[in-house]
Amino acid sequence: MPKDHGIGASPKRREDVRFLSGTGNYTDDINANGQAYVHFLRSDVAHARIKSINTDAAAAMPGVVRIFTGADFEGVGGIPCGWCVTDRHGEPMQEPAHPVLAQGKVRYVGDQIAAVVADTAEQARDAAEAIEVDLEELPAVVDMKAALAEGATKVHDDLSSNLCYDWGFVEENKDAVEQAMQDAAHVTTLELRNNRLVANPMEPRVAIGDFNRATGDSTLYTTSQNPHVIRLLMGAFVLGIPEHKLRVVAPDVGGGFGTKIFHYAEEAFCTFAAKAINRAVKWTSSRSEAFISDAHGRDHVTKIELALDADNNFTAVRTDTHANMGAYLSTFAPSVPTWLHGTLMAGNYKTPLIYVNVKAVFTNTVPVDAYRGAGRPEATYQLERVIDKAARELGVDPIALRRQNFITEFPYATPVAVEYDTGDYHGTMDALEKMVDLSGFEARRRESEARGKLRGFGVNCYIEACGIAPSNLVGQLGARAGLYESATVRVNATGGLVVMTGSHSHGQGHETSFPQVIAEMIGIDESMVEIEHGDTDKAPMGMGTYGSRSIAVGGSAMVRATEKIIAKAKKIAAHLMEAADADIELKDGTFSVAGTDKSVAWGDVTLAAYVPHNYPLEDIEPGLEETAFYDPANFTYPSGAYACEVEVDPDTGKVSIERFAAADDFGNIINPMIVDGQVHGGIGQGIGQALLENAVYDENGQLLSASYMDYAMPRADDVPFYAVDHSSQTPCTHNPLGVKGCGEAGAIGSPPAVVNAVVDALQSGGHDVTHIDMPVSPSRVWSAMQS
Amino acid sequence: MYNFEFEKPASIADAVAALGDEDAQALGGGQTLIPTLKQRLASPSKLVSLTGISEMQGICMDDDGRVCIGGASTHAAVAEGASAYPALAALAGGIGDPAVRARGTIGGSLANNDPAACYPAAVLASGATIFTNAREIAADDYFQGMFTTALDEGEIVTEIKFPVPEAANYQKFEQPASRFAMVGVFVAKFADGVRVAVTGASEDGVFRWAEAEAALSANFSADALADMAPAADGMIADLHGTSEYRAHLVGVMTRRAVAAAS
Ligand SMILES: Cc1cc2nc3c(=O)[nH]c(=O)nc-3n(C[C@H](O)[C@H](O)[C@H](O)COP(=O)(O)OP(=O)(O)OC[C@H]3O[C@@H](n4cnc5c(N)ncnc54)[C@H](O)[C@@H]3O)c2cc1C
């Protein structure tokens, strides 16, 4: 019988009642008294010097309160970068200034030139059109390799070049890897591009700055995955507001996928302007604006080489990547192609030697930062594509080649600085093989061929490092923040609990799954537990939600705080029953004295804590509220094996996904239904990247795919029903729940399976196609078949 | 959106009068015009809605056996009501999504003449006649290149009359993002010959593919077109596909339309 309660049960998501009935409270639903509206005048050219800005006519327009330009922000801090990468030569990365409003130059289509604050949004937009800007256009830097050429136009005049950093990892292995390549029996090489993506959360970004003249307090309501991080970055680095005078609230947030992690100029602007004009200021992004102002994802150009010995054992991997940073460094941008990417290049395999080189490049494009998976999809894609290509070149079965090279002993220290605590890669591959009916594939292929279609099967594995992250480790790697998580558990007098967590839910279902953990620990019903998140005035300093960290790190903090609650409650119970602390047991919400029939209910104990008439006041304080901060000892390492079956229409090149199976090892699972949903959504985005999505710039730096007319999002009929399996479980060894995290796996694990399947289909039709870049669009497939 | 006046007349005559004002513009279902206004790419002084005009609604058969469709009929109404011309009804049922079909109108689509729109292919392949408040225009004279038609300023498409072919079919290959036609081919077989109209592909908008018409008029079967495709020159090239790919798709979609029609 499946459980109906506690860890492992699948209660329906309680937050869906408000999400599905239109009664959520999103940032745009919030309206401050007397608020004004801001419209940002954004650059429509990619690169130009600002010769002059004349706001006189605009300022005289109806309803205009004030117009701000870069000059108003002189002396105000710039948008900070949260991670400093050290290059191959021990030098820090080049880090350009990132002003709130453009100063001197605009550097991408979408860069903010000026901001008009007016009584209504329409008035602000009208006035923005009346601003006269004299721009001297400069050549746009778009292509990464051209950006690094001698004499290339510089995006930032005060930097020595467009190179942010040249990172080598592990630098000491460089020569050994070169030697291994020379000694190899076979080397497979693949050049590929990991396509640039726009995150497209359903809810565009919104910010409202408010200022209370009486108290001097500032409040920012914002669509963020991590309000405390915004408070710290904006308060300490941009505006100089201490935490106790600044509150950041991120209420219901309609999807983030990474792009709502970062601190954006619009947030700082609204907070700054509210104080300047002594009136709340609201900004709501349009979808068109989102395309050119939300941080983009991916955009890596890579060459990977895989060396094998005569027995097909992997002996070395070398990869060379150009990573697009866009025009400025977004909050975590430098970490994505380095520490979230290079450290994953071992994958599921015992390759002894690995060298990763990454050149991060400034271009006149929207800044690029973490997007669901962040670095790990880029690592998985290239590795699993090159393994597939190697299997084909060597004429061996792609599953067998993978199995032969699997890591089987744990803990396993990779040559790229991380230690996998646990895993069972044969176990997930076995689970996958059970789902995919490989023996029936040939018959399915013949059936497709009878209809004039080509059928292909693709498989891949993935590993990811999530549960981000041990603070001391990331500190050594350049993070300018810790990556612990916090929780305060407040028990009320009548026994209900409120958990104030630093994790933030923007669709993940924390309000349902977190109470399941507490219900299990105490033995009470989930309905007695409420989750509060998204308000810096309520929860203790926390780091928010990304990197599949909520249950692994935030959940662990909640467990630690709840353990403290239980320990104290046992003391109270011992006093009430006149027994020794050590003899008290808690089961099904009742405290009892071991070996006796004496018991008190959970509610009796919580009441005693707040009405301490009969209470050990000399030993313990009244009340029942505890806080814990949890800093993980290691990353967690979810892993899995994915398979995709496609049909290609050789006449049109159109790919349809017929079957998709995912076998994941997430360790212990709190709510299987929510985990399935996370995997489904991740695979949907992975299929989107593989087949449809593509942010394309022309040579002038204009974003060609700047609306849904040209940016193809996956829709329901683009994806199949998924087969998912989570039965292969190797619990994480270092967190109290044994959980690993599941939020990004689907997006990490699915793109290579799709492309591997397409290549397999084309090969079966006699086409010597070894690679097609994503998105594998009909046109690209057809063109590949012609050559 | 900029501010504008709004009128919803009940007759064609009143609509023509209202459109006489400077910078007044007709509003059909708004599925093209409203997004344009929201992006501030147009600034009409007045919008004259055509959806309240009963003479421009409805679908019927005339004495010559033509299917007559009011210019303000929605795509959903045509999908539902043009059963006398199944290929046309199917085309209407494949435009956009249910929300678009519930609002968008045939008159709006033809007035706009988007190079990737579906209706122009049906109108041109059927040799339909476009009726306006002022005159009637043969399909062969009506389409004049991307977003360009024979309509004069303020002229309203009031009705379209479609001769019903012996056999017909529309095949649409969707552009992955917009799901407009990347290439759409409408094939119509009449007693006196076959007409083939192609949308989505050409830089000149919808066009008749004469070579295929000749081959199919002689032998109405997909085999008659084996490996045939128009020249890639002049076909649209964009981030979704090259001009060679579009030319190739025209051949594929035409063969499929013939196979489905015969
Ligand atoms: C998401 C989406 C998907 C779509 N997919 C498709 C598709 O797959 N295939 C396809 O063909 N189309 C598609 N369309 C376009 C849709 O069919 C529009 O409805 C159509 O192009 C315009 O018709 P309308 O009635 O909405 O016109 P409006 O937007 O109201 O007007 C368009 C233009 O025509 C003028 N006009 C309107 N009615 C008349 C008239 N009777 N006489 C003279 N001028 C007039 C207006 O002044 C304006 O210039 C899509 C639209 C959307 C939003």
Side-chain angles (χ1 to χ4, degrees):
Chain A
M1 258 266 297
K3 288 178 76 176
D4 62 358
H5 164 87
I7 292 177
S10 290
K12 291 224 168 84
R13 303 198 329 165
R14 57 167 81 161
E15 48 269 78
D16 285 346
V17 174
R18 65 179 196 278
F19 294 160
L20 299 179
S21 64
T23 49
N25 183 37
Y26 295 89
T27 308
D28 195 48
D29 294 321
I30 295 170
N31 292 297
N33 252 345
Q35 72 194 4
Y37 296 81
V38 59
H39 183 88
F40 292 97
L41 176 67
R42 296 182 184 276
S43 178
D44 57 7
V45 299
H47 197 189
R49 212 171 294 291
I50 303 173
K51 291 171 74 182
S52 66
I53 305 176
N54 183 344
T55 59
D56 294 349
M61 302 265 294
V64 173
V65 179
R66 193 162 152 190
I67 299 176
F68 296 80
T69 65
D72 293 290
F73 284 83
E74 270 161 28
V76 176
I79 304 299
C81 179
W83 203 299
C84 181
V85 165
T86 302
D87 77 4
R88 290 175 55 198
H89 313 291
E91 299 295 322
M93 66 185 189
Q94 295 208 77
E95 193 171 354
H98 187 176
V100 174
L101 295 178
Q103 293 182 353
K105 254 172 128 181
V106 289
R107 295 187 172 86
Y108 62 95
V109 172
D111 208 354
Q112 306 86 261
I113 299 174
V116 181
V117 179
D119 290 339
T120 71
E122 285 289 304
Q123 288 170 333
R125 191 170 174 186
D126 288 342
E129 285 178 7
I131 296 176
E132 292 160 29
V133 185
D134 188 5
L135 293 177
E136 177 197 337
E137 255 196 85
L138 300 166
V141 180
V142 179
D143 178 78
M144 285 193 274
K145 288 181 184 165
L148 297 184
E150 197 68 38
T153 304
K154 284 195 286 182
V155 177
H156 296 277
D157 301 339
D158 51 344
L159 302 186
S160 65
S161 70
N162 292 318
L163 181 68
C164 177
Y165 55 73
D166 177 4
W167 186 74
F169 183 67
V170 173
E171 194 60 25
E172 294 73 49
N173 288 348
K174 189 168 186 274
D175 295 339
V177 169
E178 170 59 29
Q179 191 60 47
M181 291 288 158
Q182 289 182 16
D183 295 345
H186 185 85
V187 177
T188 297
T189 305
L190 183 60
E191 293 187 33
L192 50 82
R193 172 182 283 274
N194 204 291
N195 40 328
R196 182 186 271 245
L197 304 177
V198 181
N200 282 302
M202 208 181 286
E203 176 206 30
R205 288 188 297 121
V206 181
I208 306 166
D210 200 358
F211 179 70
N212 184 330
R213 192 167 45 140
T215 61
D217 291 346
S218 292
T219 302
L220 170 69
Y221 300 91
T222 182
T223 47
S224 175
Q225 301 177 211
N226 30 245
H228 287 95
V229 174
I230 304 304
R231 185 182 64 171
L232 181 65
L233 292 177
M234 183 177 80
F237 296 96
V238 190
L239 301 180
I241 311 174
E243 286 92 328
H244 64 283
K245 304 303 281 179
L246 175 59
R247 175 180 173 209
V248 178
V249 183
D252 284 337
V253 173
F257 312 115
T259 203
K260 290 177 184 165
I261 298 172
F262 323 121
H263 175 42
Y264 286 95
E266 294 88 351
E267 295 171 319
F269 177 83
C270 289
T271 311
F272 175 89
K275 187 171 180 183
I277 66 166
N278 191 24
R279 188 174 166 189
V281 175
K282 182 173 193 170
W283 172 70
T284 302
S285 172
S286 69
R287 184 61 67 185
S288 310
E289 238 178 329
F291 270 99
I292 54 167
S293 69
D294 291 2
H296 291 177
R298 315 280 194 258
D299 207 352
H300 287 189
V301 175
T302 293
K303 176 181 172 191
I304 180 166
E305 297 157 284
L306 171 67
L308 302 94
D309 68 15
D311 297 323
N312 296 341
N313 297 311
F314 302 163
T315 56
V317 165
R318 177 164 57 196
T319 146
D320 181 340
T321 286
H322 285 71
N324 207 333
M325 295 286 104
Y328 300 99
L329 290 178
S330 176
T331 308
F332 287 121
S335 68
V336 174
T338 50
W339 300 108
L340 293 173
H341 166 256
T343 49
L344 272 299
M345 285 311 306
N348 310 56
Y349 312 101
K350 50 189 185 219
T351 315
L353 284 166
I354 297 173
Y355 180 69
V356 181
N357 179 233
V358 177
K359 294 181 183 69
V361 185
F362 294 111
T363 59
N364 292 117
T365 63
V366 170
V368 181
D369 205 329
Y371 168 72
R372 202 169 191 171
R376 291 151 290 169
E378 294 90 323
T380 304
Y381 180 66
Q382 51 175 300
L383 186 61
E384 294 293 328
R385 283 288 301 122
V386 81
I387 291 172
D388 230 59
K389 188 166 182 241
R392 205 167 285 288
E393 288 171 358
L394 296 165
V396 299
D397 174 56
I399 294 179
L401 181 62
R402 288 179 168 87
R403 282 191 183 269
Q404 172 185 347
N405 285 282
F406 275 162
I407 295 161
T408 52
E409 279 164 33
F410 297 89
Y412 177 82
T414 72
V416 275
V418 288
E419 184 176 283
Y420 302 163
D421 60 337
T422 167
D424 178 5
Y425 307 146
H426 286 293
T428 44
M429 187 59 91
D430 291 345
L432 183 78
E433 289 203 39
K434 277 197 198 111
M435 282 188 284
V436 298
D437 181 27
L438 261 179
S439 60
F441 176 72
E442 275 310 317
R444 293 195 293 279
R445 173 171 273 173
R446 280 195 299 278
E447 191 274 327
S448 296
E449 282 167 359
R451 287 183 286 106
K453 301 280 167 54
L454 301 174
R455 201 174 186 99
F457 178 81
V459 70
N460 68 266
C461 299
Y462 77 87
I463 176 97
E464 59 160 322
C466 59
I468 289 172
S471 294
N472 55 0
L473 176 63
V474 295
Q476 288 164 25
L477 305 183
R480 288 165 170 164
L483 285 167
Y484 53 84
E485 197 47 87
S486 69
T488 292
V489 176
R490 175 177 299 160
V491 185
N492 291 320
T494 59
L497 295 93
V498 181
V499 180
M500 283 145 287
T501 167
S503 295
H504 185 280
S505 180
H506 27 280
Q508 294 88 344
H510 298 173
E511 290 166 49
T512 303
S513 55
F514 279 36
Q516 289 179 250
V517 173
I518 296 209
E520 181 83 29
M521 290 177 75
I522 302 178
I524 53 174
D525 195 76
E526 280 89 352
S527 62
M528 291 176 68
V529 187
E530 200 67 32
I531 304 298
E532 288 270 10
H533 59 81
D535 186 342
T536 58
D537 269 10
K538 290 185 180 165
M541 173 75 184
M543 298 307 293
T545 287
Y546 40 83
S548 304
R549 68 192 302 272
S550 294
I551 200 69
V553 190
S556 295
M558 179 180 69
V559 168
R560 291 286 183 247
T562 307
E563 285 169 354
K564 292 187 198 177
I565 293 280
I566 291 173
K568 183 171 176 184
K570 281 184 173 175
K571 285 192 176 148
I572 302 169
H575 177 87
L576 292 177
M577 293 187 281
E578 297 176 341
D581 296 359
D583 293 337
I584 305 297
E585 290 171 353
L586 171 62
K587 190 163 182 285
D588 295 335
T590 301
F591 297 91
S592 56
V593 181
T596 74
D597 60 359
K598 278 204 243 175
S599 69
V600 286
W602 168 254
D604 296 330
V605 171
T606 61
L607 191 65
Y610 289 95
V611 187
H613 296 163
N614 175 17
Y615 194 88
L617 283 168
E618 57 288 354
D619 291 336
I620 49 176
E621 297 166 9
L624 203 48
E625 174 166 328
E626 299 288 351
T627 293
F629 287 79
Y630 179 84
D631 205 279
N634 191 354
F635 293 89
T636 62
Y637 300 94
S639 63
Y642 282 22
C644 177
E645 225 169 283
V646 299
E647 217 172 58
V648 177
D649 179 344
D651 291 338
T652 64
K654 188 170 164 64
V655 175
S656 74
I657 298 190
E658 298 297 311
R659 293 168 160 232
F660 201 101
D664 301 284
D665 173 0
F666 294 135
N668 294 335
I669 286 176
I670 310 299
N671 182 317
M673 177 197 70
I674 288 180
V675 170
D676 283 357
Q678 290 289 308
V679 173
H680 289 178
I683 297 173
Q685 282 179 305
I687 290 174
Q689 169 162 32
L691 293 186
L692 296 160
E693 298 185 44
N694 202 15
V696 183
Y697 281 93
D698 72 7
E699 67 279 9
N700 299 318
Q702 293 292 336
L703 182 62
L704 298 177
S705 47
S707 81
Y708 294 136
M709 292 300 278
D710 287 300
Y711 190 90
M713 293 292 285
R715 293 177 233 199
D717 61 352
D718 290 313
V719 298
F721 284 98
Y722 308 115
V724 294
D725 179 286
H726 309 130
S727 61
S728 180
Q729 297 183 354
T730 58
C732 170
T733 58
H734 56 79
N735 65 43
L737 290 166
V739 292
K740 294 183 175 177
C742 67
E744 296 159 295
I748 295 171
S750 52
V754 176
V755 180
N756 290 347
V758 173
V759 171
D760 185 56
L762 297 181
Q763 291 273 347
S764 82
H767 301 281
D768 186 25
V769 174
T770 54
H771 179 68
I772 303 176
D773 269 333
M774 302 186 291
V776 182
S777 65
S779 172
R780 285 184 177 176
V781 172
W782 182 79
S783 299
M785 288 168 64
Q786 306 315 304
S787 48
Chain B
M1 211 179 274
Y2 299 105
N3 291 338
F4 51 81
E5 302 293 321
F6 182 75
E7 263 188 63
K8 192 170 182 180
S11 72
I12 293 171
D14 287 351
V16 171
L19 283 169
D21 290 5
E22 201 178 339
D23 293 332
Q25 191 171 0
L27 177 69
Q31 296 303 292
T32 297
L33 185 51
I34 300 288
T36 312
L37 296 181
K38 282 167 92 174
Q39 290 180 47
R40 297 191 161 198
L41 296 173
S43 51
S45 60
K46 183 203 279 183
L47 289 187
V48 181
S49 169
L50 306 178
T51 54
I53 303 172
S54 53
E55 331 162 49
M56 286 177 63
Q57 300 282 355
I59 301 166
C60 64
M61 277 295 244
D62 72 2
D63 296 342
D64 302 328
R66 290 187 295 184
V67 171
C68 308
I69 300 179
S73 304
T74 62
H75 310 331
V78 176
E80 175 99 342
S83 49
Y85 193 169
L88 180 65
L91 173 148
I95 293 176
D97 50 45
V100 170
R101 294 195 289 275
R103 290 221 155 250
T105 66
I106 186 167
S109 177
L110 293 175
N112 194 48
N113 193 20
D114 188 303
C118 299
Y119 269 130
V123 168
L124 189 57
S126 306
T129 306
I130 289 127
F131 288 73
T132 74
N133 55 298
R135 55 184 167 144
E136 44 188 273
I137 311 170
D140 284 316
D141 302 326
Y142 178 84
F143 301 103
Q144 302 190 345
M146 278 193 185
F147 299 109
T148 313
T149 69
L151 292 179
D152 291 330
E153 190 89 357
E155 194 170 358
I156 300 173
V157 175
T158 55
E159 189 175 18
I160 301 93
K161 297 192 179 179
F162 291 88
V164 180
E166 293 168 3
N169 187 260
Y170 177 62
Q171 291 287 321
K172 174 184 184 184
F173 191 82
E174 289 175 348
Q175 192 255 57
S178 71
R179 295 197 173 180
F180 273 66
M182 179 131 152
V183 165
V185 179
F186 200 105
V187 172
K189 178 176 182 292
F190 293 93
D192 59 352
V194 176
R195 291 170 67 106
V196 177
V198 179
T199 188
S202 167
E203 288 172 346
D204 293 330
V206 67
F207 70 96
R208 281 176 67 184
W209 186 16
E211 205 186 347
E213 290 186 352
L216 290 170
S217 295
N219 171 15
F220 192 68
S221 87
D223 296 342
L225 303 174
D227 292 332
M228 197 190 277
D233 210 29
M235 295 289 157
I236 296 170
D238 61 13
L239 59 107
H240 304 290
T242 58
S243 45
E244 288 75 19
Y245 178 62
R246 278 194 172 76
H248 164 79
L249 275 185
V250 172
V252 173
M253 291 298 125
T254 309
R255 283 188 287 279
R256 289 186 180 177
V258 172
S262 43

